[in-house]
């Protein structure tokens, strides 16, 4: 353990304030994909004990919380996003006692713990579904979305699954179709039944009572389906985009007007918020919608009685974020949701890592990191992002993701961003496991291991630490207001302000030099450790390729 890690642990231990119900506002959240973080028992799959062992690394970055992707009991058809028991740990990941150890260790390091709740659907192995499919007269007959076929035997409507094909699966026991927005083994729950809502909220309470500090809500806009099961209209080709599903997926050919985004969801979110508020917990919802994502975020975070944050896809899109596209995104955000608190991310477990997706050089990766910590909102960092990991190239014969197998080779799925974390380069497994990992470790990743970067002062790992420290030292960057986001050519700029302090933030998002006039005022340059530019003798700000400028003043 490095001296810096030990110092951070000592500085942060015991600093969690249980009365701070606004801890989430401006928080930096580190996402852990548990299958791939650390294997503690030599079976090639990461686990909760492994996470507890590696929490000091996360604390050393200076983040505020961790978000752990699903570890619940599951047949793992979708790697934990198909839950068969909401209130237990899958033996693959350990036990409830191991989870309690994660909570205790994290809290001792000053880290809050958020867990990933998949409420829109369960596994077809869940006891609820077994009871529901048994007969149309069973006690839980109405707990899932069932429908009779059309007279010709075809599905009740034209809804499509994100994972390909119809969203309806025939079940011979009931001689009905059931809805599945994802895999056929992931039947959708019927949220129109309040007994279903009650059961899910009981599960929420179970984890709150075990000490969790918040939740990431998977597919938050999929909870309700249209009661009348009306057909979705077609989406014009010119309106399609690949921000939610790859372009090869026909899911992009519909306006998902009735299969998700239903107005009844707002009342359920109010019920959910009433459950978590007494615990001081917070939630961030994943809004998956290619056309109305920002508008939905505004609805779901409005009024202070639903979720605190939403996780928009605008920075997860395939196209690189440019100064022009950033201005457009923030203008749309301000129009659709001026009071909403976004939670921004460049990478996660579902998208190609942004280093590869945007073809970033080391200098470009650094400036985008600095930009991320300066934007208004909270921040998510995906495991390995702090190492500058590119997307791993996983051969077809090693693929595990059913999404990638279905659409190969035009879309290779999500395994390339889910390969094991690389801790040290001494063996092919990167210190992740003593056995063959469930996904192969990339040779390119081995060269970027934690141990290797700890020993290299110029490594991007240290840039992440400096950037997060800079954010912590400047409160306007955490919870302050933001000016209008503007640009001149490839230079993006805005300012953040709070309590008489203002931070000017400019970023050259290109590989060519640019010049910009500093705004009027008595500015003092800051952020030298992040490569910040200073005004030249001519009074102008000359930004090198991929260079930021950070300055502060009293207002």
């Amino acid at each position: 353990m490095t001296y810096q890690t030990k110092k951070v642990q000592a500085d942060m231990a015991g600093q969690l304030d249980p009365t701070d119900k606004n801890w989430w506002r401006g928080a930096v959240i580190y996402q852990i994909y548990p299958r791939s973080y650390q294997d503690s028992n030599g079976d090639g799959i990461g686990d909760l004990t492994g996470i507890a062992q590696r929490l000091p690394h996360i604390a050393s970055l200076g983040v505020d919380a961790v978000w752990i992707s699903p570890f619940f009991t599951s047949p793992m058809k979708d790697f934990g996003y198909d839950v068969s028991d909401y209130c237990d740990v899958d033996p693959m990941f350990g036990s409830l006692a191991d989870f309690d150890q994660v909570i205790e260790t994290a809290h001792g390091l000053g880290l809050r713990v958020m867990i990933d709740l998949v409420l829109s659907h369960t596994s077809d192995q869940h006891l609820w579904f077994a009871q529901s499919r048994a007969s149309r007269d069973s006690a839980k007959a109405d707990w899932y979305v069932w429908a009779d076929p059309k007279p010709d035997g075809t599905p009740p409507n034209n809804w499509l699954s994100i994972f390909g094909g119809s969203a309806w699966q025939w079940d011979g026991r009931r001689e009905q179709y059931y809805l599945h927005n994802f895999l056929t083994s992931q039947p959708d729950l019927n949220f129109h039944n309040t007994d279903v809502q009650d059961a899910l909220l009981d599960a929420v309470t179970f984890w709150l009572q075990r000490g969790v500090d918040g939740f990431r809500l998977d597919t938050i806009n999929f909870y309700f389906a249209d009661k009348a099961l009306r057909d979705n209209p077609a989406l014009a080709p010119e309106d399609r985009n690949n921000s939610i599903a790859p372009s090869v997926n026909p899911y992009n050919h519909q306006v998902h007007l009735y299969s998700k985004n239903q107005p009844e969801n707002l009342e359920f979110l109010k019920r959910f918020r009433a459950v978590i508020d007494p615990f001081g917990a917070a939630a961030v919802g994943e809004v998956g919608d290619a056309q109305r994502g920002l508008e939905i975020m505004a609805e779901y975070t409005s009024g202070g009685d639903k979720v605190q944050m939403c996780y928009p896809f605008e920075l997860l899109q395939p196209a690189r974020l440019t100064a022009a596209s950033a201005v457009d995104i923030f203008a749309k955000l301000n129009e659709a949701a001026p009071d909403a608190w976004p939670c921004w991310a460049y990478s996660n477990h579902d998208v190609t890592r942004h280093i590869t997706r945007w073809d970033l050089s080391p200098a470009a990766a650094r400036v985008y990191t600095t930009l991320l910590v300066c934007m208004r909102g909270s921040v998510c960092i995906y495991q390995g992002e702090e190492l500058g990991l590119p997307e791993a190239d996983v051969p077809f014969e090693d693929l595990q993701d059913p999404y990638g197998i279905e659409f190969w080779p035009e879309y290779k799925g999500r395994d390339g961003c889910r390969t094991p974390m690389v801790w040290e380069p001494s063996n092919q497994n990167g210190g992740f496991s003593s056995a063959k990992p469930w996904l192969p470790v990339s040779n390119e990743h081995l060269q970027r291991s934690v141990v290797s970067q700890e020993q290299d002062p110029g490594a991007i790992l240290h840039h992440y630490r400096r950037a997060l420290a800079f954010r912590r030292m400047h409160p306007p960057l955490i919870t302050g207001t933001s000016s209008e986001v503007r640009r001149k050519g490839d230079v993006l700029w805005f300012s953040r302000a709070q309590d008489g302090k203002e931070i000017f933030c400019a970023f050259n998002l290109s590989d060519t030099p640019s010049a910009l006039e500093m705004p009027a005022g008595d500015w003092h340059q800051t952020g030298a450790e992040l490569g910040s530019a200073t005004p030249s003798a001519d009074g102008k700000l000359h930004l090198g390729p991929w260079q930021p400028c950070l300055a502060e003043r009293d207002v």
Side-chain angles (χ1 to χ4, degrees), residues 205-226:
T205 302
F206 174 86
W207 292 106
L208 289 168
Q209 291 174 340
R210 293 200 90 90
V212 304
D213 304 287
F215 303 95
R216 183 263 191 183
L217 298 177
D218 186 66
T219 58
I220 189 176
N221 54 318
F222 282 75
Y223 293 167
F224 283 83
D226 176 47

Side-chain angles (χ1 to χ4, degrees), residues 342-390:
C343 188
W344 299 112
Y346 294 149
S347 289
N348 68 20
H349 65 292
D350 280 335
V351 298
T352 301
R353 288 184 178 272
H354 71 279
I355 296 293
T356 297
R357 197 171 78 243
W358 293 349
D359 191 23
L360 300 183
S361 66
R366 283 169 169 75
V367 79
Y368 277 103
T369 301
T370 307
L371 169 60
L372 184 67
V373 304
C374 291
M375 293 189 296
R376 178 182 174 272
S378 299
V379 170
C380 274
I381 295 171
Y382 180 51
Q383 66 180 52
E385 181 178 333
E386 75 273 26
L387 305 178
L389 296 185

Side-chain angles (χ1 to χ4, degrees), residues 231-253:
D231 278 349
N232 282 329
L235 180 65
E238 61 270 20
D239 294 330
R240 297 173 192 163
N241 69 66
N242 58 354
S243 62
I244 304 302
S247 57
V248 296
N249 191 340
Y251 188 81
N252 290 319
H253 293 215

Side-chain angles (χ1 to χ4, degrees), residues 470 473-474 502-504 523-534 548-552:
F470 184 82
M473 289 186 296
H474 295 87
E502 184 177 10
I503 309 291
F504 172 74
W523 294 97
H524 304 280
Q525 298 306 121
T526 187
E529 70 276 20
L530 301 177
S532 177
T534 57
C549 171
L550 302 163
E552 59 183 334

Side-chain angles (χ1 to χ4, degrees), residues 174-209:
R174 289 183 49 146
E175 296 188 10
Q176 285 184 306
Y177 285 95
Y178 66 82
L179 178 67
H180 62 92
N181 273 293
F182 299 92
L183 295 175
T184 58
S185 57
Q186 293 171 295
D188 277 58
L189 286 160
N190 177 21
F191 273 71
H192 292 289
N193 184 332
T194 56
D195 290 341
V196 171
Q197 297 184 29
D198 293 343
L200 293 171
L201 294 175
D202 285 345
V204 170
T205 302
F206 174 86
W207 292 106
L208 289 168
Q209 291 174 340

Side-chain angles (χ1 to χ4, degrees), residues 104-296:
E104 182 180 349
T105 305
H107 287 175
L109 291 167
L111 297 169
R112 286 184 164 87
V113 177
M114 306 178 77
I115 65 173
D116 207 328
L117 280 182
V118 189
L119 302 182
S120 67
H121 55 268
T122 70
S123 164
D124 61 1
Q125 302 302 306
H126 199 295
L127 180 60
W128 297 347
F129 189 67
Q131 294 171 338
S132 185
R133 79 190 315 183
S135 81
R136 300 190 188 195
D137 300 317
S138 70
K140 290 184 171 58
D142 194 35
W143 277 45
Y144 292 81
V145 182
W146 294 94
D148 290 328
K150 290 180 178 178
D152 63 359
T154 56
N157 62 29
N158 69 345
W159 296 354
L160 295 173
S161 163
I162 285 185
F163 286 169
S166 172
W168 296 96
Q169 177 69 20
W170 178 253
D171 186 87
R173 273 155 281 202
R174 289 183 49 146
E175 296 188 10
Q176 285 184 306
Y177 285 95
Y178 66 82
L179 178 67
H180 62 92
N181 273 293
F182 299 92
L183 295 175
T184 58
S185 57
Q186 293 171 295
D188 277 58
L189 286 160
N190 177 21
F191 273 71
H192 292 289
N193 184 332
T194 56
D195 290 341
V196 171
Q197 297 184 29
D198 293 343
L200 293 171
L201 294 175
D202 285 345
V204 170
T205 302
F206 174 86
W207 292 106
L208 289 168
Q209 291 174 340
R210 293 200 90 90
V212 304
D213 304 287
F215 303 95
R216 183 263 191 183
L217 298 177
D218 186 66
T219 58
I220 189 176
N221 54 318
F222 282 75
Y223 293 167
F224 283 83
D226 176 47
K227 255 189 170 180
L229 304 181
R230 287 169 282 188
D231 278 349
N232 282 329
L235 180 65
E238 61 270 20
D239 294 330
R240 297 173 192 163
N241 69 66
N242 58 354
S243 62
I244 304 302
S247 57
V248 296
N249 191 340
Y251 188 81
N252 290 319
H253 293 215
Q254 290 185 356
V255 179
H256 299 280
L257 186 62
Y258 298 115
S259 52
K260 59 183 181 182
N261 306 335
Q262 298 306 291
E264 295 94 333
N265 208 22
L266 298 176
E267 291 306 312
F268 173 74
L269 294 180
K270 291 178 183 178
R271 293 194 67 197
F272 172 84
R273 180 66 177 269
V275 169
I276 70 172
D277 264 354
F279 293 86
V284 53
E286 177 200 30
V287 175
D289 192 86
Q291 280 72 46
R292 294 189 57 245
L294 294 177
E295 290 87 346
I296 295 166

